[in-house]
Amino acid sequence: MRFLNNIEYRRIESTEDLEDIARIRYRAMSSVGLAPPDGTILIDDLDFKPNAHILGIYFDERLVSTLRIHHVTSSERDSVAVAHFPDVMNPLLDAGHTFIDPVRFAADPAIMREYPMLPYLTLRIVTMATDYFQTDYCLSVIKPNHRAFYKRIFNFKPMVEPRYFPKYGSNIELHWSDRIADLQNIYDRFPFFNSKPIERRLMFAPQAQLGMPSLTVRPTAQYAFERLN
């Protein structure tokens, strides 16, 4: 909660901001030896889809991490989960289910070492998006070594057996959590994931609804927590 006082969230909508996102993705990938030498895949087609929301997390006005979410519905199916597991996802979308698909988590390695809580504050975006869009489920497309972390935080459960993807040289897993069954429990265990409706609206509402340019969004977890107690 104290660290949140120094955190700001920003919607990434300009070319200049997207270049900053590419740089932090590169630093994050470089730290684990996965950065492409020619800079490809740092920005991809899914960054520009209508259902994509790219958020930057700023600490003392410095970009320190980022996350992209897709609001996936039967009419807007662009997402990593659908691209990698179409046989699983498309029947669920045909049946009318809706999803948040969060991907592209990247953080400045130096900041991560100094502030290990940074992934949690970045992943607040996941609960805010799930809450704002009132989706049925939240997804996670991950490698096996990340499974325990996401299960502990979001109570993710596997949707299908892991599948091997040659381009990653690894198995990839698809997990999900149920908004109705799991979201309130997440708020109870991790109060800093909570937020007020105004914060969620500033993060995800269309600009036409806001009637103003995108602004820096300050976390409201502390106020939401105090209101509940």
Side-chain angles (χ1 to χ4, degrees):
M1 283 290 194
R2 288 193 301 272
F3 192 63
L4 276 175
N5 293 331
N6 300 93
I7 288 290
E8 299 174 350
Y9 297 92
R10 298 181 193 173
R11 295 160 63 136
I12 303 300
E13 297 175 335
S14 72
T15 301
E16 181 178 340
D17 286 341
L18 197 55
E19 290 173 354
D20 290 339
I21 294 299
R23 282 191 283 270
I24 202 165
R25 287 176 178 174
Y26 182 84
R27 286 198 294 271
M29 295 174 72
S30 295
S31 70
V32 292
L34 295 176
D38 59 356
T40 58
I41 78 168
L42 296 175
I43 301 296
D44 60 43
D45 290 343
L46 289 175
D47 285 314
F48 302 98
K49 298 301 182 181
N51 64 333
H53 301 261
I54 305 172
L55 284 304
I57 295 82
Y58 291 75
F59 175 64
D60 288 344
E61 301 187 358
R62 172 188 173 188
L63 179 66
V64 293
S65 64
T66 179
L67 189 75
R68 182 181 74 200
I69 69 103
H70 285 91
H71 176 213
V72 190
T73 66
S74 60
S75 59
E76 292 190 315
R77 303 189 181 207
D78 292 305
S79 87
V80 169
V82 176
H84 287 66
F85 298 90
D87 57 315
V88 177
M89 292 298 303
N90 282 320
L92 293 169
L93 291 166
D94 291 340
H97 295 294
T98 58
F99 304 87
I100 291 297
D101 185 6
V103 294
R104 288 292 205 169
F105 168 75
D108 186 315
I111 299 295
M112 282 271 284
R113 287 191 292 270
E114 188 172 357
Y115 299 102
M117 72 287 289
L118 183 59
Y120 295 88
L121 302 185
T122 306
L123 292 171
R124 282 189 75 237
I125 295 169
V126 176
T127 56
M128 283 192 284
T130 304
D131 214 337
Y132 176 80
F133 291 107
Q134 292 288 286
T135 55
D136 298 314
Y137 302 98
C138 179
L139 301 172
S140 182
V141 180
I142 54 174
K143 291 186 175 181
N145 58 314
H146 294 154
R147 181 194 311 135
F149 174 81
Y150 285 96
K151 179 175 177 56
R152 183 172 71 251
I153 304 302
F154 296 111
N155 195 32
F156 277 131
K157 298 165 282 291
M159 293 177 66
V160 66
E161 289 295 314
R163 297 180 181 177
Y164 182 79
F165 286 81
K167 68 177 180 178
Y168 301 120
S170 169
N171 281 340
I172 298 296
E173 302 181 354
L174 178 62
H175 296 245
W176 62 351
S177 65
D178 185 303
R179 175 180 60 84
I180 294 175
D182 296 317
L183 189 57
Q184 187 57 53
N185 183 52
I186 294 169
Y187 289 154
D188 291 341
R189 292 168 57 228
F190 304 103
F192 53 85
F193 275 139
N194 216 325
S195 59
K196 297 183 74 173
I198 184 62
E199 182 182 3
R200 299 192 292 270
R201 184 167 177 266
L202 289 172
M203 292 278 274
F204 302 111
Q207 291 286 7
Q209 289 184 18
L210 293 176
M212 65 179 79
S214 59
L215 302 172
T216 292
V217 182
R218 297 303 302 267
T220 59
Q222 182 173 346
Y223 305 111
F225 180 72
E226 290 171 352
R227 177 174 50 83
L228 292 172
N229 291 273

